[in-house]
Amino acid sequence: MSPTQAEKTRLAPLKTPSDLPTNAITDISAALTALLADVFALYLKTKNFHWHMSGPHFRDYHLLLDEQAEQIFAMTDDIAERARKIGGTTLRSVGQIARQQRISDNDADFVTPEDMLSELRQDNAQLVSLLREVHDLCDEHNDVASASLIENWIDEAERRTWFLFETTRGQK
């Protein structure tokens, strides 16, 4: 008994159909996967600082970072699913995140609130730069759907950067 076409498709390697050329799928899905690693790193750092916030502005900063972490985490599924929609693959483990992230961790026992906010401002600005690079790659391969999503994420990251900048402005 020979397998049916449905059985062949079901048993075939993971290969989502896409009209993008193979090189575009490879390039964009790799860029999205690296971006996803950065977003997870930024999310966890933001939550780390949210959990370890202290000082006279505790409540305001604690709530600000929680709001920002939620926004960052909301990106993760969209990034991963976009890589899959175009026919690529994405992250499979925390270890892969650690190997691919470009946004640095902060494992210090104590970080001042001002340093937390300043570091997150720099990290969000770095994320904007990384998002622009992926956007350029998407434009190069005519992946308008990915580029459109990235434009919204750039706007959100710029807003986070702005809020963090204004929150720390004038502090020593």
Side-chain angles (χ1 to χ4, degrees):
M1 172 184 215
S2 68
T4 65
Q5 185 58 40
E7 288 173 316
K8 287 179 186 175
T9 301
R10 183 175 49 82
L11 299 173
L14 196 58
K15 180 90 171 100
T16 305
S18 176
D19 67 344
L20 291 171
T22 302
N23 67 321
I25 294 167
T26 300
D27 293 349
I28 296 169
S29 63
L32 289 171
T33 297
L35 179 64
L36 183 57
D38 292 322
V39 170
F40 271 120
L42 181 58
Y43 166 75
L44 191 54
K45 182 188 256 183
T46 303
K47 289 303 282 191
N48 168 25
F49 289 168
H50 160 82
W51 295 321
H52 296 100
M53 183 57 66
S54 64
H57 301 288
F58 167 79
R59 186 175 194 288
D60 291 336
Y61 295 168
H62 183 77
L63 294 174
L64 172 68
L65 296 184
D66 198 35
E67 176 186 295
Q68 290 193 356
E70 285 178 20
Q71 186 179 65
I72 294 164
F73 186 73
M75 296 169 59
T76 60
D77 200 44
D78 291 337
I79 296 169
E81 288 185 358
R82 188 65 204 153
R84 291 290 297 121
K85 284 177 194 175
I86 65 169
T89 59
T90 192
L91 293 174
R92 289 188 165 88
S93 69
V94 173
Q96 189 177 2
I97 292 170
R99 289 187 300 275
Q100 293 194 2
Q101 76 185 69
R102 295 160 290 187
I103 292 180
S104 62
D105 295 328
N106 184 326
D107 297 331
D109 288 339
F110 178 78
V111 181
T112 67
E114 295 78 16
D115 287 346
M116 288 179 180
L117 299 175
S118 293
E119 190 170 331
L120 288 173
R121 179 189 49 78
Q122 292 167 353
D123 291 339
N124 277 279
Q126 180 183 0
L127 183 63
V128 169
S129 177
L130 296 167
L131 284 162
R132 289 185 198 285
E133 289 174 14
V134 179
H135 188 280
D136 290 346
L137 179 67
C138 293
D139 282 349
E140 180 184 319
H141 290 295
N142 200 30
D143 180 3
V144 295
S146 295
S148 177
L149 289 169
I150 291 167
E151 289 164 6
N152 291 321
W153 299 329
I154 289 170
D155 184 57
E156 291 172 355
E158 286 176 335
R159 185 174 194 265
R160 289 190 303 271
T161 303
W162 171 41
F163 274 50
L164 292 162
F165 169 75
E166 289 297 340
T167 302
T168 58
R169 197 158 66 133
Q171 293 180 0
K172 290 183 181 182

